[in-house]
Amino acid sequence: MSIPHAELEAFRREFPILQTRTYLNSCSLGALSLRSMGYLGEYQALWNTMGASAWYELWMGRIGNVLDKVAWLWHAQRNEVALSPSVSAAVAAVASAVDYSKRNKVVVADLDFPTLVYQWLARPDIEVVRVPSDDGVSVDPARWAEYVDERTAVVATSHVFYGTGYVQDLAPIRDAARRVGALFLVDGYQAAGQIDVNPREIGADVYVAGPLKWLLGGPGLAFLWVRDDVISTLRPTVTSWFGAANQFAFRADELEYRDDAGRFSLGTPAVPTVYTALGGLEMFEQAGPQKVYERVKALTEDLVGRLRAGGFELKGAPDEAHRSGIILVRHADAPGAVQRLALRGIITDHRAGYVRVSPHYYNTVAENESFVAAMSKV
Ligand SMILES: Cc1ncc(COP(=O)(O)O)c(C=O)c1O
């Protein structure tokens, strides 16, 4: 199978780990680039030479650069994006702004990442309802309308399921939420950076993701998008001075929120991650997002074809349209297989009886081939 955009293989030299390992675990943690390391060096140098004035003069500017790039990547307005310490924190801030006094039900999917569900499971006053999965891979989009009703305050689910790579059809879920006036929140952590994300087109009210995985920016931050007409309707009760209008006026006698998505910010951001995230995002821009998405798709289909031909049992979408770059390969001893693969220099992960692999734009057909050959041996 021919994989498009071979010129993106030139980026391989920017990622030290690719020089010594077959790295197929970008859905857990994207590879670190020389670009990000360079930015990290810049951050340290500024801290060493400028001390606190680095904050006002330069670090704040870098935060702005990251937000510019996130807005660009998501086809969003700049006032709609903000940073948060994690997806958990971003969802907690949004969840804290919802009025549950008349509606106390939150509807999620059976296959969502636990942290999304925990935000409401932690509250005894809220009823969390999980839309079941019939096949363990996806949730039938038509079923959301059965569960979402006039008592529903929030509908929250994943764009791509972390455990199956399934890309959800969000339109029917959005419609179910809209019909009753519930907030529609999408966890796009496993989507951002491997498929095109346009939260406005999706019809989301809130979209969250972060730099750690497909965006190659490291741990310590998350990105939050809130549609501009929704921002002013939400007043987070989990909040911080970074969410306040006129933050540096230091007014402790009143809380006036920012009028952009920054009102959901929670405290001083992880500046090292601002710098590493900038490296990952910059490389995306250079590679070209559409090229990245097309290459991930082609490498995924190539790998699925090879694994099927090798007789492996896969878990995931049966059709290409719902498949993404997260591939689950059945193994009787998945943790052991991951360890044995690592001894052969192949980095993967495992989830519930399956070896999980996730090719990114910097991977190659040769790496797919060597993974499948190694799987036959482990
Ligand atoms: C879909 C999804 N949501 C959320 C998270 C975790 O988010 P955070 O650790 O930033 O709260 C993960 C990460 O592993 C994930 O795959």
Side-chain angles (χ1 to χ4, degrees), residues 27-28 85-89 113 115-116 158 160-162 187-190 212-213 221-222 351 356:
C27 79
S28 284
S86 63
V87 158
S88 309
F113 193 81
T115 209
L116 182 69
S158 314
V160 172
F161 288 128
Y162 78 101
D187 173 359
Y189 219 146
Q190 290 295 359
L212 160 71
K213 302 171 187 290
L221 281 181
R351 290 288 179 276
R356 187 173 73 165

